[in-house]
Amino acid sequence: MRDLGIYFGTFAPCHVGHFEQIVRAKRENRHAAVIISGYEGDRGDRIGMNLAHRTRAMRQLLRHDSNVSILELNETDIPRYPAGWQPWLEMLENLINQTKDALDFDIASATFYMGEKEYIEPLESYFNEKWPEIDIHMTMVDRKILGISGTEIRETPILNWDYVTRPFRRFFVQNVLVTGAPNSGKSMLIEDLARRYSTSCSIEYAEEYFEDHQLKSPDLDAKDFHAIGIGQFELNRRHIHSNATRKIFFADTDVLYSKVHNMLAAHDEQDYVNQIFEHYIHLQTWSLILIMPPPEDSSDYDRKFYSLLLEQLEHYNLMNHAVILNDTYLENYNRAHALIDEILEEGKDN
């Protein structure tokens, strides 16, 4: 057994092939350093998985593993490969030194694990010169062991879902928002769709808030609207990150829904609350928005709410992702089912 295994990559995402190499590095060595590299606008960043996100997900994947150190190498301010070899190697050395200094034993041997042959000579030359007292080894990784690549996963993440390690799956979850008029059957549709796709769904947070605080709609003030809107955002976020979410997530309303209720409220701090909601609305991403119109016997408030909701969806340029379900319940369910299958890029999911 050698002392230190060093495995680096972009990990966009970290898939099971990467994980097998991490296991190898930490079993063939007393300790392993996993280094996530990247830069602003890299291939991970372009799909909403920036370097900081990837580092955090890797730490979650390997938490409680005392045999592994997780390090981040930010290449944003150096030339792109291959022009940036020298500064990249210097940054890599500095990071590895952090791990070496933190260990309670001296490093006499180090092994670099890599998937590209052209990396061998620069790494070997640099570290043999910098660390003459350390026995340096180079090990090529077989990238075809499982027949999957990060590129394939980024291009067809749903079809390759099972190859993605769990903390990285959140970046590929397809988020479906079900919104519309109050009392329009949103919750029933969401529950049936979640059951159909064996995944998770959120509830309308306002109902839980009303119950916990023993409130009714006329009692709400700015503080309550703020709590409900942010509570819905956090509830949806937790589901997206949940292990129970499988490929797709269904949200029972969102921050925009809370904003519309706030716009129709009687309190004096509507603008203040809406400014807060504005930030969270822009953080939400939806692959599909299903809109439920008010039923024929709906109240004037519900109809007014629905009209304002459509205006707000237009305001945020969200109607191009939206479909209005205005038929019978069964027809609406079947329409939603077909739209979701299109998103999943499969004829059927289960």
Side-chain angles (χ1 to χ4, degrees):
M1 176 176 285
R2 295 168 183 157
D3 292 326
L4 182 63
I6 301 153
Y7 183 42
F8 58 86
T10 55
F11 301 105
C14 177
H15 54 67
V16 291
H18 292 137
F19 183 73
E20 293 296 336
Q21 298 306 325
I22 293 171
V23 171
R24 178 184 179 184
K26 73 176 185 174
R27 295 308 176 200
E28 292 182 348
N29 301 272
R30 296 174 68 185
H31 193 82
V34 176
I35 299 167
I36 301 91
S37 65
Y39 53 88
E40 291 180 9
D42 67 12
R43 55 183 179 265
D45 194 5
R46 289 195 294 271
I47 59 168
M49 184 172 42
N50 65 30
L51 179 59
H53 292 153
R54 303 196 300 269
T55 302
R56 185 182 306 168
M58 187 67 80
R59 287 176 179 149
Q60 291 171 343
L61 176 65
L62 297 169
R63 64 181 177 179
H64 308 313
D65 193 332
S66 59
N67 290 326
V68 181
S69 297
I70 309 299
L71 304 167
E72 178 179 299
L73 198 161
N74 192 329
E75 307 169 8
T76 299
D77 296 327
I78 64 173
R80 300 283 80 82
Y81 174 84
W85 254 121
Q86 187 63 29
W88 189 88
L89 288 167
E90 292 170 358
M91 294 172 69
L92 180 63
E93 180 192 5
N94 289 334
L95 285 175
I96 299 171
N97 282 336
Q98 293 176 24
T99 296
K100 287 170 55 187
D101 294 343
L103 295 174
D104 59 2
F105 58 89
D106 294 330
I107 302 298
S109 60
T111 304
F112 288 86
Y113 297 83
M114 70 211 72
E116 304 289 348
K117 288 184 178 180
E118 57 265 33
Y119 293 173
I120 294 177
E121 193 281 326
L123 285 164
E124 200 166 34
S125 298
Y126 182 88
F127 284 99
N128 276 328
E129 178 183 347
K130 292 292 183 177
W131 297 342
E133 75 286 0
I134 296 177
D135 189 15
I136 302 297
H137 300 267
M138 300 287 152
T139 297
M140 280 295 299
V141 168
D142 185 355
R143 303 178 70 175
K144 298 181 180 179
I145 291 175
L146 292 172
I148 192 65
S149 70
T151 300
E152 289 177 271
I153 291 171
R154 288 190 299 274
E155 290 177 351
T156 54
I158 301 303
L159 294 176
N160 292 298
W161 182 263
D162 291 334
Y163 289 112
V164 183
T165 56
R166 196 177 297 276
F168 286 81
R169 289 177 179 176
R170 73 188 66 165
F171 303 110
F172 302 106
V173 171
Q174 303 297 304
N175 302 320
V176 175
L177 170 65
V178 181
T179 189
N183 308 305
S184 57
K186 300 184 299 297
S187 297
M188 184 186 299
L189 179 65
I190 284 172
E191 289 172 1
D192 282 344
L193 289 171
R195 293 180 185 118
R196 167 61 184 81
Y197 289 93
S198 302
T199 190
S200 70
C201 63
S202 66
I203 61 170
E204 187 175 345
Y205 181 74
E207 295 179 5
E208 179 181 322
Y209 188 86
F210 289 165
E211 177 66 25
D212 288 346
H213 296 269
Q214 289 299 292
L215 293 170
K216 295 183 179 179
S217 295
D219 303 326
L220 301 183
D221 58 19
K223 172 178 61 66
D224 296 314
F225 281 105
H226 174 271
I228 290 169
I230 305 310
Q232 188 70 58
F233 177 88
E234 289 297 331
L235 181 60
N236 291 344
R237 185 182 66 83
R238 286 197 298 273
H239 277 280
I240 293 168
H241 292 190
S242 168
N243 292 340
T245 297
R246 179 178 175 270
K247 302 184 182 182
I248 196 158
F249 158 66
F250 298 99
D252 190 341
T253 75
D254 67 333
V255 184
L256 181 55
Y257 188 87
S258 300
K259 179 187 175 183
V260 174
H261 274 302
N262 181 63
M263 294 171 72
L264 295 174
H267 67 84
D268 297 327
E269 298 181 83
Q270 290 177 332
D271 291 342
Y272 169 72
V273 175
N274 285 341
Q275 287 173 14
I276 297 171
F277 285 168
E278 193 78 15
H279 169 72
Y280 288 91
I281 290 168
H282 288 289
L283 292 177
Q284 300 176 139
T285 57
W286 306 112
S287 301
L288 174 65
I289 299 174
L290 301 173
I291 303 172
M292 308 286 285
E296 291 184 3
D297 59 350
S298 61
S299 67
D300 290 341
Y301 177 90
D302 290 355
R303 293 181 181 279
K304 188 175 182 180
F305 178 95
Y306 180 70
S307 178
L308 185 55
L309 175 66
L310 294 181
E311 291 177 13
Q312 286 294 300
L313 288 167
E314 287 283 4
H315 172 75
Y316 290 103
N317 297 315
L318 294 173
M319 287 302 289
N320 55 331
H321 300 296
V323 174
I324 297 175
L325 301 178
N326 56 1
D327 210 318
T328 66
Y329 179 82
L330 183 57
E331 289 298 321
N332 289 340
Y333 171 82
N334 288 333
R335 176 66 172 141
H337 189 336
L339 291 167
I340 292 159
D341 279 349
E342 290 177 15
I343 291 173
L344 294 174
E345 301 176 338
E346 301 174 62
K348 63 177 182 178
D349 186 52
N350 288 335

